[in-house]
Amino acid sequence: MTPDFVGRLFATAWKSDLPPDKPLQLIASQDIGYFAAQALVDPESWRNRVLSIAGDELTFSEANEIFKSLTGNPAGISTTNWIFVWAIGILVKELRTMFKFFAKEGFGADIEELRKMHPQLQDFKTWLKMSTFVK
């Protein structure tokens, strides 16, 4: 999530392409870095290992309520016109495929288990408090 057009485009796709009750798993880039560093520090224990990572799992509506409460912005997460998402989805097959995957399957990361591995794993609220949206 970013405050620019790309961020608004992502938020619009999340809002329009996922069913309202379908949560999306989210991960802070800082937490991606943590798990990547663990693999670099101890490559033997991470060899041939696959791990889905996420710090939170929210529907767009849930994330939007958190966003409103922390930023004080009554409009919530900035989106753009769905026509842009539709057009880019036509042009960029991978984007269309990604959101179809999110809508039907999702990642299924075990967030509780990940918190045992990394107790400082950020949920959306924690990430948002440190983001440019709140600073």
Side-chain angles (χ1 to χ4, degrees), residues 10-32:
F10 175 81
T12 305
W14 182 8
K15 182 179 180 181
S16 64
D17 290 0
L18 269 66
D21 61 340
K22 176 72 175 181
L24 180 64
Q25 288 192 327
L26 308 165
I27 184 78
S29 55
Q30 191 173 20
D31 292 327
I32 295 170

Side-chain angles (χ1 to χ4, degrees), residues 26-91:
L26 308 165
I27 184 78
S29 55
Q30 191 173 20
D31 292 327
I32 295 170
Y34 171 85
F35 286 103
Q38 298 312 301
L40 292 171
V41 169
D42 187 8
E44 284 306 310
S45 68
W46 288 87
R47 184 179 308 275
N48 298 322
R49 186 173 175 192
V50 176
L51 182 67
S52 291
I53 56 175
D56 212 339
E57 182 175 66
L58 300 166
T59 64
F60 180 82
S61 293
E62 291 167 336
N64 201 32
E65 288 305 312
I66 292 168
F67 188 92
K68 288 177 188 179
S69 71
L70 286 179
T71 64
N73 180 345
I77 297 171
S78 294
T79 57
T80 188
N81 191 298
W82 66 269
I83 198 79
F84 293 117
V85 172
W86 176 82
I88 292 173
I90 295 294
L91 297 171

